[in-house]
PDB file of all heavy atoms in Angstrom:
ATOM      1  N   THR C  34      -9.292  27.489  -9.718  1.00  0.00           N
ATOM      2  CA  THR C  34     -10.496  27.155 -10.462  1.00  0.00           C
ATOM      3  C   THR C  34     -11.719  27.675  -9.711  1.00  0.00           C
ATOM      4  O   THR C  34     -11.889  27.387  -8.518  1.00  0.00           O
ATOM      5  CB  THR C  34     -10.618  25.621 -10.634  1.00  0.00           C
ATOM      6  OG1 THR C  34      -9.454  25.150 -11.305  1.00  0.00           O
ATOM      7  CG2 THR C  34     -11.860  25.254 -11.422  1.00  0.00           C
ATOM      8  N   VAL C  35     -12.568  28.420 -10.393  1.00  0.00           N
ATOM      9  CA  VAL C  35     -13.809  28.921  -9.807  1.00  0.00           C
ATOM     10  C   VAL C  35     -14.805  27.768  -9.736  1.00  0.00           C
ATOM     11  O   VAL C  35     -15.098  27.118 -10.749  1.00  0.00           O
ATOM     12  CB  VAL C  35     -14.383  30.086 -10.641  1.00  0.00           C
ATOM     13  CG1 VAL C  35     -15.739  30.521 -10.085  1.00  0.00           C
ATOM     14  CG2 VAL C  35     -13.410  31.256 -10.666  1.00  0.00           C
ATOM     15  N   LEU C  36     -15.323  27.494  -8.540  1.00  0.00           N
ATOM     16  CA  LEU C  36     -16.300  26.429  -8.339  1.00  0.00           C
ATOM     17  C   LEU C  36     -17.718  26.967  -8.206  1.00  0.00           C
ATOM     18  O   LEU C  36     -18.675  26.275  -8.525  1.00  0.00           O
ATOM     19  CB  LEU C  36     -15.937  25.607  -7.102  1.00  0.00           C
ATOM     20  CG  LEU C  36     -14.557  24.932  -7.131  1.00  0.00           C
ATOM     21  CD1 LEU C  36     -14.277  24.238  -5.814  1.00  0.00           C
ATOM     22  CD2 LEU C  36     -14.466  23.955  -8.292  1.00  0.00           C
ATOM     23  N   SER C  37     -17.846  28.190  -7.681  1.00  0.00           N
ATOM     24  CA  SER C  37     -19.147  28.845  -7.543  1.00  0.00           C
ATOM     25  C   SER C  37     -18.881  30.341  -7.365  1.00  0.00           C
ATOM     26  O   SER C  37     -17.731  30.781  -7.428  1.00  0.00           O
ATOM     27  CB  SER C  37     -19.908  28.283  -6.326  1.00  0.00           C
ATOM     28  OG  SER C  37     -19.325  28.728  -5.124  1.00  0.00           O
ATOM     29  N   GLU C  38     -19.928  31.101  -7.084  1.00  0.00           N
ATOM     30  CA  GLU C  38     -19.750  32.539  -6.875  1.00  0.00           C
ATOM     31  C   GLU C  38     -18.875  32.838  -5.663  1.00  0.00           C
ATOM     32  O   GLU C  38     -18.247  33.888  -5.592  1.00  0.00           O
ATOM     33  CB  GLU C  38     -21.108  33.219  -6.712  1.00  0.00           C
ATOM     34  CG  GLU C  38     -21.895  33.331  -7.988  1.00  0.00           C
ATOM     35  CD  GLU C  38     -23.187  34.100  -7.796  1.00  0.00           C
ATOM     36  OE1 GLU C  38     -23.259  34.981  -6.906  1.00  0.00           O
ATOM     37  OE2 GLU C  38     -24.138  33.823  -8.548  1.00  0.00           O
ATOM     38  N   THR C  39     -18.833  31.926  -4.693  1.00  0.00           N
ATOM     39  CA  THR C  39     -18.095  32.187  -3.454  1.00  0.00           C
ATOM     40  C   THR C  39     -16.939  31.220  -3.200  1.00  0.00           C
ATOM     41  O   THR C  39     -16.195  31.407  -2.243  1.00  0.00           O
ATOM     42  CB  THR C  39     -19.053  32.103  -2.243  1.00  0.00           C
ATOM     43  OG1 THR C  39     -19.656  30.799  -2.220  1.00  0.00           O
ATOM     44  CG2 THR C  39     -20.128  33.174  -2.324  1.00  0.00           C
ATOM     45  N   LYS C  40     -16.795  30.209  -4.032  1.00  0.00           N
ATOM     46  CA  LYS C  40     -15.790  29.180  -3.753  1.00  0.00           C
ATOM     47  C   LYS C  40     -14.873  28.958  -4.953  1.00  0.00           C
ATOM     48  O   LYS C  40     -15.326  28.875  -6.090  1.00  0.00           O
ATOM     49  CB  LYS C  40     -16.480  27.871  -3.373  1.00  0.00           C
ATOM     50  CG  LYS C  40     -15.551  26.814  -2.833  1.00  0.00           C
ATOM     51  CD  LYS C  40     -16.334  25.621  -2.303  1.00  0.00           C
ATOM     52  CE  LYS C  40     -15.404  24.586  -1.722  1.00  0.00           C
ATOM     53  NZ  LYS C  40     -16.107  23.449  -1.171  1.00  0.00           N
ATOM     54  N   ARG C  41     -13.563  28.854  -4.629  1.00  0.00           N
ATOM     55  CA  ARG C  41     -12.555  28.540  -5.641  1.00  0.00           C
ATOM     56  C   ARG C  41     -11.691  27.395  -5.122  1.00  0.00           C
ATOM     57  O   ARG C  41     -11.617  27.167  -3.924  1.00  0.00           O
ATOM     58  CB  ARG C  41     -11.659  29.767  -5.894  1.00  0.00           C
ATOM     59  CG  ARG C  41     -12.370  30.862  -6.616  1.00  0.00           C
ATOM     60  CD  ARG C  41     -11.771  32.238  -6.469  1.00  0.00           C
ATOM     61  NE  ARG C  41     -10.370  32.403  -6.777  1.00  0.00           N
ATOM     62  CZ  ARG C  41      -9.715  33.558  -6.584  1.00  0.00           C
ATOM     63  NH1 ARG C  41     -10.347  34.626  -6.116  1.00  0.00           N
ATOM     64  NH2 ARG C  41      -8.438  33.641  -6.872  1.00  0.00           N
ATOM     65  N   TRP C  42     -11.064  26.693  -6.037  1.00  0.00           N
ATOM     66  CA  TRP C  42     -10.114  25.631  -5.714  1.00  0.00           C
ATOM     67  C   TRP C  42      -8.735  26.226  -5.990  1.00  0.00           C
ATOM     68  O   TRP C  42      -8.303  26.322  -7.129  1.00  0.00           O
ATOM     69  CB  TRP C  42     -10.384  24.406  -6.568  1.00  0.00           C
ATOM     70  CG  TRP C  42      -9.575  23.205  -6.171  1.00  0.00           C
ATOM     71  CD1 TRP C  42      -8.418  22.772  -6.759  1.00  0.00           C
ATOM     72  CD2 TRP C  42      -9.837  22.293  -5.115  1.00  0.00           C
ATOM     73  NE1 TRP C  42      -7.955  21.642  -6.136  1.00  0.00           N
ATOM     74  CE2 TRP C  42      -8.814  21.327  -5.106  1.00  0.00           C
ATOM     75  CE3 TRP C  42     -10.846  22.200  -4.151  1.00  0.00           C
ATOM     76  CZ2 TRP C  42      -8.764  20.276  -4.199  1.00  0.00           C
ATOM     77  CZ3 TRP C  42     -10.792  21.150  -3.251  1.00  0.00           C
ATOM     78  CH2 TRP C  42      -9.769  20.204  -3.277  1.00  0.00           C
ATOM     79  N   VAL C  43      -8.053  26.672  -4.908  1.00  0.00           N
ATOM     80  CA  VAL C  43      -6.783  27.382  -5.043  1.00  0.00           C
ATOM     81  C   VAL C  43      -5.685  26.534  -4.420  1.00  0.00           C
ATOM     82  O   VAL C  43      -5.696  26.272  -3.217  1.00  0.00           O
ATOM     83  CB  VAL C  43      -6.846  28.768  -4.369  1.00  0.00           C
ATOM     84  CG1 VAL C  43      -5.495  29.470  -4.479  1.00  0.00           C
ATOM     85  CG2 VAL C  43      -7.953  29.621  -4.987  1.00  0.00           C
ATOM     86  N   VAL C  44      -4.743  26.101  -5.251  1.00  0.00           N
ATOM     87  CA  VAL C  44      -3.653  25.226  -4.813  1.00  0.00           C
ATOM     88  C   VAL C  44      -2.319  25.935  -5.041  1.00  0.00           C
ATOM     89  O   VAL C  44      -2.062  26.440  -6.134  1.00  0.00           O
ATOM     90  CB  VAL C  44      -3.678  23.877  -5.579  1.00  0.00           C
ATOM     91  CG1 VAL C  44      -2.551  22.973  -5.132  1.00  0.00           C
ATOM     92  CG2 VAL C  44      -5.040  23.192  -5.400  1.00  0.00           C
TER      93      VAL C  44
END
Side-chain angles (χ1 to χ4, degrees):
T34 302
V35 175
L36 301 176
S37 72
E38 287 184 29
T39 58
K40 190 172 182 178
R41 289 159 53 185
W42 188 262
V43 178
V44 180

